[in-house]
Amino acid sequence: MKVEGKAGDFFVEVQTHARYVNISQCTACGDCSKVCPIVKPNEFDLGLASRKAIFTPYNQAVPSAYVRAKEDCLGDVPIACGKCIDACKSKCIDFDEPEQMLSLNVGAIVVSTGVEYYDPREASEYGYTRFENVVTSFELERLLDASSPTHGELLTFSTKKPPERIAMIQCVGSRNMKADINYCSRICCMNSIKDTLVIREHYPDAEIMVFYIDIRAFGKGFEEFYRRSLAAGVIYIKGKPSKITENKKTKEIILSYEDQLNGEIKHEVVDMAVLSSAMIPNQSARALSMILGIELDRDGFFKEKDPCVDPLESTKEGIYLCGCSTTPKDITDSIAESCGAAAKAGVHMSDAAVEEKKTEITELDLSGSPRIGVFLCHCGLNISAVVSINELREYASRLPDVVIVDDYLFACAESMQKKIQDAVIEHKLNRVVVAACTPKTHEPVFQETLAKIGFNPYLFDMANIRNQCSWVHQKEPAAATVKSKEIIKMSAARVRHLLPLAPKILSVRREVLVVGGGITGIQAAIDLANRGFKVFLVEKQQGLGGRAGNLANVYPSNRPGKELMEKKIRELYNKAVTVLTGVEIKDVRGYVGNFEVELVRSGGIGAQDNDLADELRTLGVGSIILAIGAELFDPMKKFGFGEYPGVFTSMQLEDMLAQDSDKLKNMKSVAIIQCVGSREEKGNTWCSRYCCQSAIKQAILLRNKGIDVTIFHRGIRIYSKGAEVMYRRARELGVLFIPYSELARGEVPEVINQDQGLHVEMDYKALNSRIIVPVDAVILSVGMVPNARETDRLSDILKIPKGPDSFFLERHSKFGPVETTVEGVFLAGCCQFPQDIGDSISQGSAAASKAASLLSRDVMVLSPITSVVDEQYCRGCGKCAEVCDFHAISVVEKEIGIFVARVNEALCKGCGTCVPVCPTGAIDLKHFLDKQIKAQLAALLG
Ligand code: SF4
Ligand code: SF4
């Protein structure tokens, strides 16, 4: 309601709306909702289903407690309804709960207000709400969801049957001057591609068409996902319907459009049309901007200090922006930005005493013979649409020592976790099996749930009946059910032999190592130094700055890359950062919180004398951030590069533009060829994400010099703030855009240098002719590729996995984009996947935030799953020590002449590599002991 003060010392008044239900008492039993006589459209289901006046917004809502909509409620006076109050056993409903005004004193404010959806009724040509079978992509999303009113069944509204022909229409509202939405909504192409695959899975015979302007599949794994959709037979039509009509009798939808690949006017009749509506600024943004005293941009999103260089900073110090508050973004980019904004906000709180809330938990007595609880998850319809939950219930209840079986729509929902906790207490369980999805993402969720009630989380096992059964055997429900039973049986057998384990507690160092001195690494180092951490930054080149410093200018600010880098480097040197150039990592030992890093002069170990000061040869750090960037594709021999003098890479053009080279003065016409070394059938399959925006920026700079520009492209994939305006500007300036080989039509430009000079030729089916463009230069927009030597070397040293594209693999593509599977090691920038400058800077800040939150703790809790040696049987042969990649095992002389292997539990990563090489079976892995695995196998084979 009100914000006063300045960075580091804001006074904020926040109004909290009354919920009328005490969230700490509400058990989410739903008794109140059952008796409520009011029926209203459910906002979460976009009006496709109803709710009561007292309700939970959706299945997995947090908190799961109910909420009363006062405006819908009959109240208890003057019509004495109040049925919910009578029905509530917990007595947690209070109609007199007042609204509250909280006064907060905070150091920083983060704005993450998200977006709203464009109302497609404004695009009246598409008949939304006038025609029954026209829905929005958000409505489709709800319809396809297992927890939706149709339980995931996609039915037309007129026939109540699955549609046989479906059309998806992209860019409804987006990229639209008429609607004053001058930007790409960034998420809708991938969302539609995902929906085509979901529909294809459920309705293999449905004909699915996607009408698009450009398919913007620019993120990690997006291009491959797009190809899956194409391979699944989804038809992609380049063209946007100009009009939709309805067959009044059959309610079929008729689309009229121009096929842009051949210029023909065509019509399609479908059973359902889905409109991909634009994302628009949150309606509250204007009012909030006034309260906060920060600016909005012309589109109504919050304005960054500089979208390229300071993408997370608002126009007022101490107020930070993230996610869709500045422009539409997908989940991955939003998460990276939210971490980055947290890092910035942390700067204003470094002196504040942050008290961690500690709750004493009494450990449950879990001794005695096994009492197993088996909890089955439907995962919406993900599991239950294929696997018979009833059969599993019945089967699991007959397994040895199982005392209770229950099943939940979403076992990971807060209310369902509470039920698991209650069941553990009520049935005195000392072993728990959850049969649900992948342990990779959900095991920690259930372990934490159990730990909260004092249940040792290592007496728990997860049976993956979704990924391993209902997903892979979707077309064989009976077999999937049999396999699920076997997996549950194995889990129940294993859990009987599990032992309680206690985590390891270790101290943490507050130093951080940032590897890479480009814009990403520099940003990470600055943020960490601002938070008071001691930072070392190593760069194997002799200078800092990376590629960004060579850019002629950076969009959308149009400032030279050199200027930007110089500013950042100055900022870096003003902080407490030890910068080491011409230096690289030789080896890393240790573990999260306590890494020991050996450094050498770059150029190959032993290539030069190691003249580093002694104190810098080995660094002790708590965390490592990898920001080693990527390389540009070498187009040797492609499109005449290296053969014809007039063929350059986009980076070479950037140099020419930055230096205003004489070469440019003689040019009258230039062709730019996109996707060189990107989006290949095999090899570099990914979209390099940066190059469309970069090419358009370069085209404008060339046009400003009076040079004609023709861009041969495979769909223009621009998405950053201001990029759509830049694209429009390029077209206004006369830049010619010619699509090639979109959807493999076999139209590929050829660069020819013959008597008539350098020119680009291509068959162009739309015009039924061959295009010939005489040029003075051809620019190849080269893709980004992993820095192979460094990625391989560091992956080997740090045991960080690489993805199929050979970029470093993040922990989770959506929810952990800057984390790795190695605790304490983070990723940022183009070594994870190609990024533009703004995104790289956000990722640098995000990685800094993750490292800072890790190192802000006094101690580190490590997994107790390590190997263990039974010295009775150990002969001290050292075979286990030889194979251990983490140097966690050493052979020691236990008594004179008696050698045994000893495990350093802090170093052991629990990989289990040592176990099978032991000739005497003396080494075993806790939590995966031989007897536990044998019990599983016996259950399967018995
Ligand atoms: S008072 Fe009546 S109408 Fe209002 S929430 Fe309770 S039962 Fe529903
Ligand atoms: S030019 Fe680059 S950004 Fe554009 S589509 Fe090709 S690879 Fe993607």
Side-chain angles (χ1 to χ4, degrees), residues 565-808:
M565 279 317 308
E566 282 173 355
K567 182 171 169 259
K568 285 281 175 194
I569 292 171
R570 264 199 311 278
E571 203 180 336
L572 177 79
Y573 278 112
N574 284 335
K575 309 283 171 194
V577 177
T578 304
V579 179
L580 300 168
T581 53
V583 168
E584 64 184 17
I585 291 180
K586 181 183 174 192
D587 198 12
V588 178
R589 290 175 294 277
Y591 42 87
V592 54
N594 287 279
F595 291 108
E596 200 175 278
V597 183
E598 212 179 313
L599 300 177
V600 287
R601 281 277 165 219
S602 50
I605 295 152
Q608 293 177 43
D609 285 343
N610 195 352
D611 62 352
L612 282 172
D614 284 350
E615 69 275 16
L616 296 176
R617 289 185 187 196
T618 305
L619 303 178
V621 296
S623 176
I624 299 172
I625 294 177
L626 298 178
I628 61 167
E631 288 180 346
L632 292 175
F633 176 74
D634 179 357
M636 199 44 80
K637 298 254 158 65
K638 282 194 180 219
F639 298 106
F641 184 79
E643 290 178 63
Y644 308 143
V647 182
F648 304 97
T649 67
S650 40
M651 206 56 211
Q652 288 172 324
L653 172 64
E654 204 70 43
D655 282 342
M656 287 186 238
L657 288 164
Q659 289 156 22
D660 199 15
S661 160
D662 284 347
K663 284 183 193 155
L664 294 170
K665 299 202 169 84
N666 302 324
M667 290 182 193
K668 293 210 164 30
S669 170
V670 166
I672 301 179
I673 300 176
Q674 296 300 100
C675 298
V676 178
S678 300
R679 303 175 64 193
E680 297 173 336
E681 268 313 300
K682 291 199 179 92
N684 306 342
T685 51
W686 56 91
C687 162
S688 290
R689 184 172 164 133
Y690 86 99
C691 18
C692 278
Q693 304 185 126
S694 169
I696 293 173
K697 176 206 73 178
Q698 292 177 336
I700 291 175
L701 293 176
L702 291 172
R703 282 301 297 134
N704 288 341
K705 291 179 182 296
I707 300 169
D708 289 341
V709 184
T710 309
I711 298 184
F712 291 86
H713 66 94
R714 297 173 63 195
I716 291 294
R717 293 183 169 178
I718 52 171
Y719 57 89
S720 288
K721 192 155 187 168
E724 199 65 40
V725 177
M726 191 170 72
Y727 184 22
R728 182 162 289 120
R729 175 88 188 118
R731 281 176 292 169
E732 282 164 4
L733 286 172
V735 176
L736 210 58
F737 288 85
I738 299 179
Y740 83 88
S741 201
E742 181 73 6
L743 309 184
R745 287 177 300 132
E747 300 167 350
V748 179
E750 289 174 71
V751 177
I752 296 170
N753 192 20
Q754 282 175 348
D755 306 340
Q756 64 270 50
L758 192 67
H759 57 281
V760 181
E761 292 189 17
M762 189 183 85
D763 285 332
Y764 194 54
K765 287 187 189 153
L767 298 178
N768 203 16
S769 60
R770 189 161 176 83
I771 295 177
I772 301 176
V773 184
V775 291
D776 301 302
V778 176
I779 308 300
L780 307 182
S781 274
V782 288
M784 267 194 215
V785 293
N787 181 338
R789 176 185 172 264
E790 277 305 276
T791 313
D792 288 355
R793 216 172 61 79
L794 291 172
S795 152
D796 205 35
I797 291 174
L798 287 158
K799 311 292 173 239
I800 310 259
K802 292 180 291 174
D805 50 17
S806 290
F807 288 100
F808 284 131

Side-chain angles (χ1 to χ4, degrees), residues 389-400:
I389 297 289
N390 282 342
E391 275 191 50
L392 295 192
R393 266 191 89 114
E394 204 273 324
Y395 176 80
S397 63
R398 286 187 281 111
L399 292 172

Side-chain angles (χ1 to χ4, degrees), residues 114-262:
V115 275
E116 293 185 9
Y117 305 123
Y118 168 75
D119 183 347
R121 280 176 297 189
E122 287 178 27
S124 57
E125 66 273 25
Y126 290 149
Y128 178 65
T129 64
R130 284 191 288 124
F131 306 143
E132 252 179 291
N133 293 317
V134 175
V135 298
T136 66
S137 50
F138 313 108
E139 286 166 341
L140 178 71
E141 202 68 37
R142 288 307 304 134
L143 291 170
L144 291 174
D145 191 288
S147 63
S148 77
T150 58
H151 304 291
E153 284 256 15
L154 182 61
L155 308 172
T156 68
F157 289 93
S158 53
T159 62
K160 306 283 181 282
K161 288 189 198 146
E164 288 174 13
R165 303 190 87 217
I166 305 163
M168 296 192 171
I169 300 160
Q170 299 307 107
C171 297
V172 175
S174 306
R175 306 177 63 187
N176 185 343
M177 291 287 271
K178 196 174 104 192
D180 206 19
I181 301 178
N182 212 359
Y183 52 86
C184 160
S185 289
R186 196 159 155 161
I187 59 132
C188 2
C189 280
M190 290 317 295
N191 190 52
S192 292
I193 291 171
K194 184 251 314 169
D195 285 342
T196 65
L197 288 169
V198 175
I199 296 170
R200 171 60 75 241
E201 264 175 31
H202 287 290
Y203 308 101
D205 299 326
E207 193 175 329
I208 311 166
M209 289 167 266
V210 180
F211 292 85
Y212 68 94
I213 305 176
D214 299 290
I215 288 293
R216 294 192 162 164
F218 53 78
K220 188 165 188 170
F222 288 8
E223 180 71 19
E224 293 78 356
F225 206 57
Y226 174 36
R227 286 193 197 179
R228 262 178 66 195
S229 176
L230 285 166
V234 175
I235 303 160
Y236 284 80
I237 299 169
K238 188 166 173 65
K240 191 171 161 187
S242 54
K243 196 171 163 202
I244 286 181
T245 52
E246 183 193 52
N247 180 326
K248 294 282 169 239
K249 217 159 123 203
T250 62
K251 301 291 180 192
E252 287 166 320
I253 301 298
I254 304 147
L255 312 164
S256 308
Y257 66 99
E258 181 193 342
D259 186 334
Q260 287 187 11
L261 297 186
N262 53 30

